[in-house]
Amino acid sequence: MKVEFFRHSIAGDDKRELRKVLDSLFLTSGEWTKQFEERLAAYLGARAAVGLTSCTHALELALRYFHIGLGDEVITTPLSFIATANVIEYTGARPVFVDVEKESGNIDAQLVERSVTARTKAILPVHLYGQMCDMQALRAIARRHRLKIIEDAAHCLEGARDGVRVGEFADAACFSFYATKSITSGEGGAISTNDRRAAAWFAKARLHGMSTGASERYAVRYQHYDMEFLGFKCNMSNILAALLIHQLARIAGSLKRRNVIAKTYSKGFQSNPAIRLLNVLPRSKHARHLFTILVDPSRRDAYLHQLQDAGVGVAVNFRAIHLMKYYREKYGYRRGDFPISERIGDSTISLPLYPRLRDKEVAYVIAAVNRIIRR
Ligand SMILES: *Cc1c(COP(=O)(O)O)cnc(C)c1O
């Protein structure tokens, strides 16, 4: 058997919607983009959402809107995809890493406050694997020190914790629709906010700071555009939006299935002493983006290959960012600087988790993992 690490869930509805775009006039940002943005904002309970081409761009736009740049510091986690730290680098600011909690892999709110300096401008938490960070604690720190909060919610469209929805306590929250994310258009992203002025800026910043987009310029009679500020080029097209509209509508069913699979995995591994699982906190709605197991770090890479040889698709999310060559060389980071992130980064293996995964595939993965990963 071959169990793919990920298979998307593009269905008939999505293909029909895409066909409508292809048969229409505007392939670039237009009616479908707008419709997706409205539905995403409604789903999140946010005032506004703006469609982009990636979460990376969403994070960068948020930092730029808050004038974060040279001489500033942004506190974030080393246990994430590199994009999280890279966007801080783009602006000229310095990423200040804070280690994570052993039980959840999320940024340790207790350690965040100790890393605040006069230069700190923002906190950039990541809701790792789909479980939210302690936003109550992070918001209290942000208020005490007048910091912005920009959530990297690439894993966490569906998440909530302690009654707080993803993005609710943030100045902006950033989402990804990259190829392996829970809803996907191959590439894609969005930013949500409750600040209407920020939303209006994001909508222009995604298109060079232009006053009108193509579908507005040509809607009635030609209108000249002005360029109000130096923007970027990362607007979500109708093509991407069409693929996402119905996936968003199906998201509860998708999460339900991912929850069933995650529970089956947890049960399947619970009596294996060579496997540790991260905790699911009480009062937390886990978005179940990734299912990871933690194994002996000295054997992790061998296990990866053995699992692949057994036909099980695997991934590593993530090796700690501060140990990447660029960050080691630029900032002099060394092994031992953030021991918990390093430990999780060296021990983690991600297993297949998506709605199309069949029960017999789940059983196959459990059997293969328990056969290969032993004391
Ligand atoms: C996927 C991912 C990103 C980047 O998303 P893109 O849409 O590919 O730019 C950022 N942060 C995390 C935690 C991710 O997993």
Side-chain angles (χ1 to χ4, degrees):
M1 199 185 294
K2 170 94 173 75
V3 184
E4 298 292 348
F5 177 68
F6 185 80
R7 280 178 290 164
H8 65 70
S9 296
I10 302 287
D13 279 355
D14 310 309
K15 291 177 190 170
R16 276 187 289 279
E17 205 63 51
L18 177 60
R19 182 100 238 155
K20 287 191 225 162
V21 171
L22 297 177
D23 291 338
S24 79
L25 195 55
F26 286 102
L27 302 183
T28 183
S29 303
E31 282 310 304
W32 279 267
T33 313
K34 214 171 133 205
Q35 197 187 123
F36 175 66
E37 289 169 340
E38 283 165 6
R39 291 183 184 202
L40 179 62
Y43 174 77
L44 295 168
R47 287 229 174 91
V50 176
L52 305 170
T53 49
S54 73
C55 182
T56 304
H57 277 111
L59 292 162
E60 184 181 1
L61 290 191
L63 293 167
R64 300 269 182 197
Y65 178 73
F66 295 115
H67 302 291
I68 291 163
L70 208 62
D72 296 334
E73 293 177 356
V74 178
I75 294 176
T76 193
T77 167
L79 188 60
S80 181
F81 180 55
I82 47 177
T84 308
N86 289 355
V87 293
I88 302 168
E89 286 288 309
Y90 295 165
T91 68
R94 181 192 174 107
V96 172
F97 296 118
V98 165
D99 211 354
V100 300
E101 303 165 337
K102 184 166 174 274
E103 301 307 324
S104 72
N106 278 328
I107 195 164
D108 189 335
Q110 307 294 325
L111 299 179
V112 167
E113 192 149 30
R114 282 189 234 159
S115 299
V116 174
T117 72
R119 293 164 180 260
T120 310
K121 290 285 151 59
I123 308 173
L124 207 173
V126 176
H127 307 307
L128 193 71
Y129 307 145
Q131 177 153 256
M132 268 176 78
C133 299
D134 186 347
M135 292 310 299
Q136 309 261 21
L138 292 179
R139 184 166 77 163
I141 296 164
R143 285 196 165 161
R144 275 198 290 280
H145 302 277
R146 297 167 176 271
L147 309 177
K148 299 297 176 189
I149 297 182
I150 299 162
E151 290 179 30
D152 180 338
H155 296 182
C156 202
L157 199 48
E158 305 99 317
R161 177 171 167 182
D162 307 317
V164 180
R165 227 16 218 99
V166 70
E168 194 176 331
F169 281 7
D171 296 281
C174 302
F175 301 89
S176 176
F177 311 119
Y178 170 71
T180 55
K181 298 302 204 277
S182 298
I183 71 172
T184 179
S185 44
E187 301 287 350
I191 187 163
S192 74
T193 179
N194 289 320
D195 176 345
R196 288 202 194 279
R197 279 180 50 199
W201 190 87
F202 298 142
K204 285 178 183 164
R206 69 177 165 180
L207 225 181
H208 289 294
M210 284 164 75
S211 50
T212 53
S215 68
E216 292 134 36
R217 280 202 309 285
Y218 290 94
V220 196
R221 291 180 127 191
Y222 184 83
Q223 295 172 42
H224 289 299
Y225 60 83
D226 198 0
M227 182 186 135
E228 300 174 7
F229 60 91
L230 185 62
F232 300 83
K233 185 60 171 68
C234 51
N235 50 306
M236 176 181 278
S237 66
N238 275 340
I239 294 176
L240 299 183
L243 284 169
L244 295 167
I245 287 169
H246 298 281
Q247 287 186 76
L248 182 62
R250 297 196 301 270
I251 201 166
S254 166
L255 178 58
K256 199 167 162 201
R257 174 68 186 147
R258 281 178 279 131
N259 264 320
V260 167
I261 297 167
K263 272 204 185 114
T264 311
Y265 277 152
S266 299
K267 240 196 226 148
F269 304 136
Q270 82 188 2
S271 57
N272 185 333
I275 291 174
R276 181 167 90 82
L277 302 178
L278 293 176
N279 283 358
V280 179
L281 302 163
R283 297 175 39 77
S284 163
K285 181 189 178 194
H286 198 307
R288 288 295 184 194
H289 171 53
L290 289 167
F291 191 94
T292 60
I293 57 174
L294 302 176
V295 303
D296 178 351
S298 69
R299 294 164 77 181
R300 193 268 308 272
D301 292 357
Y303 288 151
L304 284 173
H305 296 150
Q306 287 172 280
L307 286 166
Q308 284 183 316
D309 290 343
V312 176
V314 288
V316 173
N317 307 93
F318 302 93
R319 285 154 66 230
I321 298 173
H322 68 282
L323 295 180
M324 298 284 164
K325 180 170 185 277
Y326 172 89
Y327 287 97
R328 275 193 282 111
E329 289 182 352
K330 179 161 182 187
Y331 295 107
Y333 285 123
R334 275 177 300 184
R335 190 162 274 286
D337 286 342
F338 306 103
I340 302 173
S341 297
E342 291 166 19
R343 179 87 192 173
I344 296 176
D346 291 343
S347 338
T348 188
I349 297 176
S350 302
L351 298 176
L353 179 67
Y354 45 90
R356 285 176 64 197
L357 201 62
R358 288 166 300 175
D359 288 344
K360 68 176 186 200
E361 293 176 309
V362 175
Y364 182 83
V365 172
I366 293 171
V369 166
N370 284 333
R371 187 176 70 246
I372 290 165
I373 300 173
R374 290 191 293 186
R375 271 261 167 84

